[in-house]
Amino acid sequence: MKTISTYFAFVLICIITNSVVAQDDYKDRIQDLIEQKENITQEEKEALKDEVEAIDKRLERGNINNEEAAELKEDAARRRALNIENRLAIIDNKIALLERNKEDVLGEEDSSINREEEAGVSINIDDDISIKIDDEEWDIYFNKSKYDRRTYSDLVFTFGLNNAIIKGQSLNDTPYKVWGSRFFEIGWTWRTRVFNKTNFMRFHYGFSFQFNGLKSQDNLYYVIDDEGKTVQTPFAFPLRKSKLRMDNLVFPVHFEFGPFKTTRSEHRIRYSLKNQFRIGLGAYGGFNMGTRQKLKYNQDGSNRKTTIKGGLNSSPFIYGLSGYMGVNCFSVYVKYDLNPIFKSPSDEQRNISFGLRFAI
């Protein structure tokens, strides 16, 4: 009798222990499912972020247009929303089965039960994407603010006084008339923001046509002497005008510095240089397209004029330094040729210009 009682007690303890363990086991499984449910939305949100970033990169590279990008984002958002809905439904159904039947769930691993009432899915795509499932809404992706475009273009023209610096002489001893020697330059430039998130430094580049004029004093004009050098010599008749003009095609580059104004909207960041001080430093290089002299003189009581094209050994390549500073589109401008005006002059001369610069 004692032996029977011992066996009965042992069996009863095993049954109770198994029941308690089974109950704890199903509760642990429910807790695991709840933790999985909490991670589902975040996983899908992160996946959608990666997809949208990839679409934006394709848009920036020009592989797709804005309409195609919007369609791809909408498709990705809809797919991720349904993923959230379906994955949450599966977890909810498993939890419901476990809570209803405790540990006694038939075919739990193979069961796939749909919710009786499907959650409503709403997708909103503008510059941001949000997904609403039932009454709960998630902001899935916030686009980064779009920065102002990096490159703009300007029509640039400059004009002012022209002269030459002669080796061994000061500018006060110039053989050219100060107010009669002028220059004009017109060209097209592009300015590109060097850094993406600030407009403090801009890179300017383009092309320009330069017209440099030097008006001689003391009845002088240019000739080639017997040694092949370009020299000034007195003209045979009284000169009313003796002007040398050099036409160049150059390609200027400048780094421009200065403050700027930032305008922020909900999805846009724009930079403005209006009424801002700016300073530009750079260089230029190019080609001489032609050199000519225009002479106006009086011969035997008659006014005559003569234009002499070429033949003065002018330098074929043009290169120099330039800079400007000012406010808004108006600047003070200076340029200095590092190349000599003539290849074989008696006195080495380099063109220098002072004037005003306008960028429109």
Side-chain angles (χ1 to χ4, degrees):
M1 185 69 180
K2 183 177 180 181
T3 302
I4 295 173
S5 299
T6 301
Y7 282 128
F8 179 77
F10 178 75
V11 171
L12 182 62
I13 290 171
C14 289
I15 292 172
I16 293 172
T17 302
N18 184 64
S19 176
V20 171
V21 171
Q23 187 175 14
D24 290 340
D25 181 59
Y26 99 85
K27 289 182 179 180
D28 289 341
R29 289 157 66 190
I30 289 177
Q31 184 60 38
D32 290 340
L33 291 171
I34 291 173
E35 291 177 0
Q36 291 180 32
K37 184 177 177 180
E38 292 174 351
N39 293 331
I40 285 173
T41 300
Q42 187 62 34
E43 290 174 359
E44 294 294 336
K45 286 168 63 177
E46 292 298 329
L48 181 57
K49 286 182 181 180
D50 293 339
E51 289 187 67
V52 173
E53 287 178 357
I55 293 170
D56 284 336
K57 289 180 180 179
R58 292 176 61 190
L59 179 62
E60 290 176 2
R61 290 194 296 264
N63 296 335
I64 56 176
N65 57 35
N66 288 327
E67 293 181 359
E68 291 172 329
E71 291 177 1
L72 290 173
K73 290 180 182 180
E74 185 174 357
D75 179 69
R78 183 177 291 106
R79 180 159 37 83
R80 293 297 172 183
L82 292 174
N83 286 354
I84 294 172
E85 177 187 357
N86 294 152
R87 292 177 66 184
L88 290 177
I90 292 170
I91 298 295
D92 286 341
N93 287 326
K94 288 184 177 182
I95 292 174
L97 277 172
L98 288 170
E99 288 179 340
R100 185 184 308 117
N101 299 287
K102 304 298 186 279
E103 73 278 4
D104 186 21
V105 178
L106 300 177
E108 175 197 344
E109 297 301 325
D110 298 327
S111 63
S112 178
I113 303 175
N114 295 326
R115 288 193 295 179
E116 295 180 359
E117 184 176 350
E118 195 175 64
V121 178
S122 173
I123 301 173
N124 175 40
I125 295 184
D126 187 1
D127 286 323
D128 298 333
I129 298 176
S130 63
I131 298 176
K132 185 176 183 181
I133 301 179
D134 287 337
D135 294 327
E136 188 172 0
E137 183 172 348
W138 293 286
D139 291 324
I140 297 299
Y141 183 81
F142 294 93
N143 274 337
K144 295 179 180 178
S145 297
K146 294 181 180 178
Y147 284 85
D148 200 356
R149 60 178 172 150
R150 301 207 41 176
T151 300
Y152 285 84
S153 59
D154 297 301
L155 174 66
V156 176
F157 64 93
T158 62
F159 62 90
L161 300 178
N162 204 57
N163 219 299
I165 293 180
I166 302 175
K167 187 175 182 179
Q169 297 183 23
S170 69
L171 198 57
N172 294 328
D173 299 326
T174 176
Y176 305 109
K177 295 180 179 180
V178 174
W179 298 105
S181 301
R182 293 182 289 270
F183 84 98
F184 178 76
E185 181 177 338
I186 185 168
W188 193 265
T189 65
W190 291 267
R191 52 185 170 92
T192 298
R193 192 168 70 250
V194 175
F195 304 106
N196 185 43
K197 297 183 180 181
T198 177
N199 199 30
F200 176 76
M201 181 187 295
R202 287 86 63 180
F203 180 54
H204 285 232
Y205 51 96
F207 62 91
S208 293
F209 295 96
Q210 294 178 347
F211 307 95
N212 298 321
L214 293 171
K215 200 169 185 179
S216 296
Q217 304 186 81
D218 302 327
N219 211 61
L220 299 175
Y221 79 116
Y222 279 102
V223 297
I224 304 295
D225 66 10
D226 296 336
E227 297 179 1
K229 294 183 179 180
T230 305
V231 296
Q232 283 184 310
T233 188
F235 193 63
F237 305 100
L239 285 168
R240 292 183 291 111
K241 181 178 181 181
S242 175
K243 188 170 185 179
L244 177 71
R245 196 183 87 188
M246 297 153 287
D247 302 337
N248 306 322
L249 170 62
V250 297
F251 302 90
V253 292
H254 293 93
F255 280 100
E256 184 180 276
F257 307 88
F260 58 94
K261 293 181 179 179
T262 303
T263 303
R264 298 177 182 268
S265 61
E266 187 176 359
H267 304 293
R268 184 91 171 172
I269 297 176
R270 300 201 65 180
Y271 300 120
S272 173
L273 299 177
K274 185 177 182 180
N275 299 325
Q276 299 297 304
F277 175 79
R278 63 182 72 181
I279 182 169
L281 300 172
Y284 54 89
F287 312 93
N288 174 257
M289 299 188 300
T291 301
R292 65 186 67 193
Q293 282 190 99
K294 183 179 288 187
L295 306 175
K296 293 183 179 181
Y297 55 94
N298 185 281
Q299 182 179 3
D300 300 327
S302 299
N303 291 329
R304 299 178 182 274
K305 63 179 180 180
T306 300
T307 300
I308 304 172
K309 296 182 179 180
L312 293 177
N313 289 330
S314 55
S315 295
F317 299 108
I318 308 300
Y319 50 94
L321 303 175
S322 58
Y324 58 89
M325 63 178 179
V327 177
N328 212 1
C329 63
F330 171 80
S331 303
V332 177
Y333 178 72
V334 60
K335 65 181 179 70
Y336 175 62
D337 288 356
L338 295 177
N339 62 280
I341 296 176
F342 306 108
K343 291 186 292 184
S344 56
S346 58
D347 297 310
E348 192 172 288
Q349 304 182 37
R350 289 182 170 84
N351 195 85
I352 188 170
S353 309
F354 303 90
L356 303 178
R357 180 181 186 271
F358 296 88
I360 303 176

